[in-house]
Amino acid sequence: MATRPITGEERAFMTGNEVVAWAAMAAGADIMYGYPITPQNEIMHYWTRMAPKYGRGFLQTEDEISAGFATVGGVLAGKRAFTATAGPGNVLMQEAMAMAEMMRLPTVVVVTQRGGPSTATVIYSQQELNLTCFGGNGEGLRIVYSPSSHDELFLYTIKAFNSAWKYRFPTFVLGDGYQSKMREPVTIFDPETRGITMEPCRPMVGLPGLPGEEREPAHLRNTYNLEDELYEVLMKAIKAYDSVTPQVMEWDVYAVDDAELLIIAHGVVSRAARAAVAVLRERGYKAGYFRPITLRPFPAEPLRPLAGRARHILVVESAYGQLKRQVQAGLYGISTPVTGYLRPGMGITLEEIVEFVHEKELI
């Protein structure tokens, strides 16, 4: 029987991968399915060390395709199941996650982004935004959180399980290689101490009773023979996704009330962006900061009035315009010019952002 790994709150100093493992434990995850890939490996390592102690399970599969589908199977069996991967593994899991999207299955995936395309580097990037938000064939009906700190990594890993089971869409925590490996102070906690009640899990297969007589029959399909049939199912799912978007989308702002330059970033890069805004403010410039916490659904509605008042928008990312395209799509019809500081697979410092702002005379 599973036992609680954390009681109350504790202060710790650990890597991001360790944070994810502890957060999944605190969330009551029953089992992790995984396959090794850098920089995700230690999530598996920490989980397998703790799992026997707290009555949890683990299965190493033969590849990421199997890990993705095993997670689908665990969820169908009513387990609070999850997996973690990066880069090429994220690519391989998209078929299973598209299936989960079609069948409205509450899968949870932690992604620790690495440089691409293909094998590329094992270090860091923000190049898996498109893949994670819209990977697979389908309409991208999924929830994607982008935490910026270890505290947020812990919180949003817990929240991912609740969002997945409450709204029944595949849910992702989009981290990165820097977060995975770096250590920083973090407060880990039992969700109940923060007033977080974990959504109940229930099996979708092997249910007791005679279908159609003693209970409603389970309708679990990911293939349809008729165009009209598929259209009806998809439109029902799209309507459900649109209806929960206001409840799901999250964002963070700083110094935006009078901002003439609005700097937008997500994940670990947003830490440099916010620090750059603080420096620019100290120098007398009216800079502000907007961070989408949910990349899918993207918080375009709260961003639009801020963008409309600004004289210029700067999107900062460790990718070549993946966030910028999301921003531009969300701001369609607003004439404020959008510039990108685009550094695919590279770390970004506050000094570089400030220098770029002055070099391009954005303020």
Side-chain angles (χ1 to χ4, degrees):
M1 183 176 179
T3 57
R4 290 181 179 274
I6 306 168
T7 56
E9 297 188 2
E10 299 178 29
R11 197 69 173 152
F13 185 70
M14 59 178 70
T15 67
N17 282 341
E18 200 171 356
V19 167
V20 169
W22 275 103
M25 282 282 168
D30 297 299
I31 188 167
M32 177 185 182
Y33 302 95
Y35 184 79
I37 188 169
T38 306
Q40 173 274 145
N41 289 330
E42 290 85 2
I43 297 175
M44 293 172 51
H45 297 165
Y46 292 124
W47 178 267
T48 53
R49 289 178 192 175
M50 293 189 286
K53 182 177 180 180
Y54 297 109
R56 315 298 172 86
F58 174 76
L59 176 65
Q60 180 172 321
T61 59
E62 61 267 37
D63 54 32
E64 290 92 349
I65 298 173
S66 302
F69 280 109
T71 303
V72 167
V75 165
L76 285 168
K79 302 297 183 182
R80 190 174 278 114
F82 79 107
T83 187
T85 191
N90 195 5
V91 174
L92 293 175
M93 286 189 184
Q94 290 307 316
E95 184 179 1
M97 294 308 113
M99 179 180 176
E101 181 182 330
M102 181 76 256
M103 298 173 68
R104 299 287 302 278
L105 302 179
T107 51
V108 172
V109 182
V110 178
V111 178
T112 63
Q113 297 171 95
R114 56 187 275 175
S118 190
T119 305
T121 73
V122 299
I123 304 168
Y124 157 82
S125 81
Q126 292 187 318
Q127 295 172 282
E128 297 178 52
L129 186 154
N130 287 344
L131 174 64
T132 307
C133 290
F134 300 103
N137 56 328
E139 302 300 330
L141 304 180
R142 43 183 68 183
I143 298 168
V144 180
Y145 293 113
S146 178
S148 67
S149 66
H150 283 16
D151 279 325
E152 285 195 351
L153 195 58
F154 189 87
L155 173 63
Y156 284 101
T157 299
I158 292 173
K159 186 172 283 192
F161 288 101
N162 264 359
S163 295
W165 281 93
K166 182 176 183 178
Y167 302 115
R168 298 292 293 273
F169 291 107
T171 303
F172 299 78
V173 178
L174 188 63
D176 59 68
Y178 284 172
Q179 290 179 337
S180 292
K181 304 298 185 179
M182 72 182 183
R183 294 181 182 272
E184 69 179 12
V186 58
T187 300
I188 61 176
F189 56 85
D190 181 340
E192 287 189 1
T193 64
R194 298 281 183 96
I196 301 172
T197 301
M198 298 308 299
E199 290 288 323
C201 305
R202 61 176 182 82
M204 291 160 245
V205 294
L207 303 175
L210 187 64
E213 293 188 13
E214 298 172 314
R215 62 172 174 84
E216 287 294 317
H219 187 73
L220 300 168
R221 296 173 63 187
N222 74 319
T223 180
Y224 295 88
N225 297 323
L226 302 174
E227 294 173 350
D228 292 348
E229 191 178 22
L230 173 61
Y231 177 78
E232 182 180 347
V233 170
L234 278 177
M235 292 311 294
K236 183 178 179 181
I238 291 167
K239 183 178 179 181
Y241 187 85
D242 289 344
S243 70
V244 304
T245 289
Q247 304 164 48
V248 173
M249 66 181 184
E250 296 187 43
W251 64 96
D252 183 33
V253 295
Y254 169 64
V256 295
D257 290 342
D258 63 346
E260 296 179 357
L261 171 65
L262 188 63
I263 301 179
I264 302 174
H266 79 95
V268 73
V269 173
S270 65
R271 297 164 70 146
R274 180 168 179 145
V277 167
V279 169
L280 290 168
R281 282 275 169 179
E282 289 173 0
R283 296 179 182 180
Y285 298 107
K286 294 181 178 180
Y289 154 95
F290 182 93
R291 173 169 68 102
I293 297 175
T294 51
L295 296 172
R296 186 83 176 122
F298 187 79
E301 186 176 343
L303 174 59
R304 289 180 66 86
L306 304 177
R309 294 198 300 267
R311 293 174 54 191
H312 212 114
I313 295 168
L314 174 62
V315 178
V316 182
E317 57 180 309
S318 295
Y320 202 72
Q322 295 190 29
L323 177 62
K324 184 184 175 189
R325 287 189 289 272
Q326 286 245 49
V327 169
Q328 289 174 313
L331 298 182
Y332 180 76
I334 292 177
S335 60
T336 307
V338 179
T339 297
Y341 184 60
L342 313 177
R343 303 271 289 167
M346 295 290 291
I348 297 174
T349 67
L350 77 91
E351 292 85 1
E352 290 171 336
I353 297 172
V354 171
E355 182 181 352
F356 184 84
V357 167
H358 288 304
E359 177 186 329
K360 297 298 181 181
E361 299 181 342
L362 301 180
I363 204 162

